[in-house]
Amino acid sequence: LAKTTQPISMDSYEGQEVNITCSHNNIATNDYITWYQQFPSQGPRFIIQGYKTKVTNEVASLFIPADRKSSTLSLPRVSLSDTAVYYCLVGPGESNYQLIWGAGTKLIIKP
Amino acid sequence: DAGITQSPRHKVTETGTPVTLRCHQTENHRYMYWYRQDPGHGLRLIHYSYGVKDTDKGEVSDGYSVSRSKTEDFLLTLESATSSQTSVYFCAISEEGLAGAFQETQYFGPGTRLLVL
């Protein structure tokens, strides 16, 4: 099963671009990479998902190199409301239960 | 937000007592999941269900059982609670299974905070 590694915490400032990298050296062919955002006392919320190359939606971009052993979540022009914990999820592999969550990156945005 | 509720939202119990947590959805999604979240571990899958009366084990299923008698309800039972089961429990749903289903995502409930003394 793929294990994921993320930085424990990061700081940035309003208006900056923030990049959070997740390492997943043992990612399997059938695995996707998904990122979730979690605010205190709430459940995680889907941000973006990808398999390879680059994916962009209205809130973030996801960069995945050709070897897929890492991925980078990019948040453009962050605001104070982007302060949250961000989780990298690799899976589901061959079945639904091979879901490996990272320990999360606590992102703090300063004014 | 997806229509997912969890009850109770907070519970304090004693070691050795049975505890049942309930997840209720109004989305008619086929798949439902129970996770626990502990500091430094992210989320870990306990059990999941792929239909009424169809369930399977996740990564950390020991000490837990589940039941799903209706599409909208998924129950998590701790038969004899232990202090190691103190955690925040999240229910999640997805319309279909995640395996091989690009763009299929999970929607999470608000969580239940359980303290076992």
Side-chain angles (χ1 to χ4, degrees):
Chain A
L1 298 180
K3 177 181 177 180
T4 63
T5 304
Q6 307 174 231
I8 295 174
S9 65
M10 294 179 66
D11 292 350
S12 189
Y13 292 90
E14 284 191 291
Q16 299 295 306
E17 178 184 75
V18 171
N19 295 310
I20 306 175
T21 297
C22 180
S23 172
H24 28 79
N25 291 321
N26 297 322
I27 189 168
T29 302
N30 294 328
D31 286 336
Y32 299 102
I33 301 153
T34 311
W35 286 81
Y36 285 81
Q37 175 191 56
Q38 186 178 28
F39 298 112
S41 300
Q42 295 185 23
R45 185 174 68 175
F46 172 86
I47 300 175
I48 197 166
Q49 184 183 70
Y51 185 80
K52 61 180 178 180
T53 65
K54 177 183 175 181
V55 179
T56 298
N57 62 22
E58 62 275 11
V59 298
S61 294
L62 178 60
F63 299 91
I64 305 169
D67 65 7
R68 302 200 328 123
K69 293 185 176 181
S70 67
S71 58
T72 299
L73 173 71
S74 181
L75 304 172
R77 297 179 299 281
V78 294
S79 64
L80 296 177
S81 63
D82 292 315
T83 294
V85 178
Y86 291 82
Y87 289 96
C88 167
L89 167 64
V90 173
E94 295 292 331
S95 69
N96 286 303
Y97 64 83
Q98 292 175 338
L99 300 169
I100 306 300
W101 291 72
T105 298
K106 185 172 184 179
L107 175 64
I108 298 174
I109 305 301
K110 303 175 182 178
Chain B
D1 289 342
I4 309 169
T5 56
Q6 294 184 231
S7 58
R9 294 293 312 280
H10 303 271
K11 187 170 180 66
V12 180
T13 191
E14 294 186 348
T15 297
T17 60
V19 176
T20 295
L21 309 182
R22 179 183 184 235
C23 177
H24 178 79
Q25 60 142 333
T26 58
E27 305 296 322
N28 201 36
H29 281 8
R30 182 181 169 200
Y31 282 74
M32 299 185 74
Y33 310 81
W34 276 109
Y35 288 91
R36 60 177 289 172
Q37 185 175 41
D38 304 289
H41 285 278
L43 280 82
R44 291 181 290 176
L45 184 64
I46 304 171
H47 282 277
Y48 69 97
S49 169
Y50 47 98
V52 174
K53 298 186 179 179
D54 293 323
T55 65
D56 208 345
K57 296 179 179 180
E59 178 188 1
V60 291
S61 60
D62 288 347
Y64 301 95
S65 63
V66 290
S67 65
R68 191 169 179 199
S69 59
K70 298 184 290 184
T71 298
E72 58 266 33
D73 290 326
F74 192 32
L75 304 181
L76 177 70
T77 298
L78 291 64
E79 301 290 348
S80 178
T82 67
S83 58
S84 65
Q85 293 176 311
T86 292
S87 187
V88 180
Y89 291 86
F90 286 100
C91 172
I93 64 173
S94 65
E95 192 164 5
E96 289 298 334
L98 304 179
F102 187 59
Q103 295 298 324
E104 186 62 61
T105 62
Q106 299 175 80
Y107 301 93
F108 285 82
T112 294
R113 191 172 295 272
L114 176 67
L115 175 60
V116 183
L117 300 174

